[in-house]
Amino acid sequence: MIPAELLTKYGLQQAEALRAIEFAIARALIMALRKNLAVRIEDRLEITEFPHLGEPIELPSMTIKRKLRRHIFHLVELELQKRQVLHEAEELKELRGKNVIGEVSRIANDGTLYVTLEIADVFRHLILAGECPLRFQPSHERSRYRIGDVREFFVSSVLPIVANGRSARVRIRLNRITKELPALLLMELTGVAGIICRRRVAGGFSDIVTPVRIPKDSINSVGKELGEHLNVFIFQAAKR
């Protein structure tokens, strides 16, 4: 009843894919038939009914009507997709608190930016989708974005979400107003650790504290990216 290719379609381990399929089939049948059931997949699909009285009874899968079969297949796909998204969110959670470069691919009517992110690590190259709501955009940039604009963003969260019970995806929430962003950009450009942004008025200024002098061109580059002035102060901890 369930195509064999579903075991590999979503990139899950076979054992996990089987458990997800069993769970989805059991839930669909229990809701549709109002019976106590258990589902097991070994060499074949086994559906066992547990009546209130008497011994367990095997329910032949061939007795399941076509309409219910289509509904079961839909729930199986959704469950496998949800499991895949949970895995992806777990793998991508290391992006939280980092800065990423993204290209604006769509602008929603409410001002939300949908952004294409290209993330490269040691083993793979990922193309991901992020979103930056209007409230996380500097006021001087709102309504000025265009499709194809490339900007730096701060990753504030990576969450698995289910939309209306019909689809699942990883939501990467982006931010352009956080005070962490100028400090991260300066550390990336200069290689200097320990740079901190004490205060930021997005589009106005950022007060930056750095342990050593940093190149002026790096300061100017970050200021241009963010459209604001960077006030940089050198602070060296007292030696004991």
Side-chain angles (χ1 to χ4, degrees):
M1 184 170 69
I2 301 298
E5 59 266 23
L6 281 181
L7 291 176
T8 57
K9 180 178 178 180
Y10 291 93
L12 301 173
Q13 295 290 330
Q14 180 170 316
E16 183 176 3
L18 284 172
R19 300 294 82 79
I21 293 171
E22 290 173 348
F23 173 79
I25 294 174
R27 183 174 60 176
L29 290 175
I30 289 170
M31 292 178 63
L33 303 178
R34 305 295 181 185
K35 295 179 179 181
N36 294 321
L37 299 167
V39 173
R40 182 179 177 84
I41 301 175
E42 291 293 344
D43 296 328
R44 64 185 183 89
L45 173 64
E46 298 177 11
I47 306 170
T48 305
E49 177 188 349
F50 297 90
H52 295 295
L53 298 174
E55 297 295 320
I57 304 169
E58 183 171 347
L59 180 66
S61 61
M62 296 302 296
T63 63
I64 299 173
K65 295 182 180 179
R66 181 178 299 177
K67 183 177 180 179
L68 180 53
R69 284 172 177 263
R70 289 199 299 267
H71 180 61
I72 289 172
F73 182 78
H74 170 73
L75 291 183
V76 165
E77 287 263 28
L78 180 58
E79 186 62 31
L80 289 169
Q81 187 184 57
K82 285 163 59 178
R83 303 281 179 111
Q84 179 193 43
V85 164
L86 287 171
H87 276 284
E88 289 179 353
E90 182 66 22
E91 292 178 354
L92 295 174
K93 68 180 183 180
E94 64 184 32
L95 290 176
R96 288 180 300 187
K98 295 183 178 181
N99 61 296
V100 294
I101 296 176
E103 179 179 335
V104 177
S105 57
R106 182 166 69 89
I107 303 174
N109 292 334
D110 64 0
T112 297
L113 302 178
Y114 290 89
V115 182
T116 300
L117 309 171
E118 293 193 30
I119 310 295
D121 62 21
V122 177
F123 301 105
R124 55 183 177 170
H125 185 264
L126 302 175
I127 298 179
L128 307 170
E131 57 187 66
C132 184
L134 190 66
R135 67 182 184 275
F136 294 145
Q137 302 168 23
S139 57
H140 71 288
E141 293 182 352
R142 297 173 185 177
S143 78
R144 296 186 179 181
Y145 295 104
R146 297 292 182 267
I147 304 299
D149 283 355
V150 176
R151 300 292 179 93
E152 291 273 1
F153 295 88
F154 177 82
V155 179
S156 58
S157 65
V158 179
L159 297 171
I161 62 171
V162 178
N164 301 320
R166 294 192 296 269
S167 62
R169 63 185 178 89
V170 176
R171 185 180 69 187
I172 302 176
R173 179 62 57 81
L174 305 173
N175 189 313
R176 285 274 295 176
I177 64 173
T178 179
K179 68 179 183 180
E180 283 89 347
L181 187 55
L184 286 169
L185 294 178
L186 284 171
M187 285 191 286
E188 183 177 67
L189 280 177
T190 65
V192 175
I195 298 176
I196 298 171
C197 180
R198 295 292 190 188
R199 184 186 178 203
R200 183 185 182 204
V201 177
F205 66 89
S206 287
D207 290 338
I208 303 293
V209 176
T210 174
V212 297
R213 187 178 298 278
I214 56 178
K216 188 173 181 179
D217 59 348
S218 296
I219 298 171
N220 291 338
S221 177
V222 173
K224 183 178 179 181
E225 165 65 31
L226 302 177
E228 63 197 42
H229 181 73
L230 271 58
N231 302 312
V232 180
F233 306 91
I234 300 174
F235 176 79
Q236 294 180 326
K239 296 181 179 180
R240 296 184 179 181

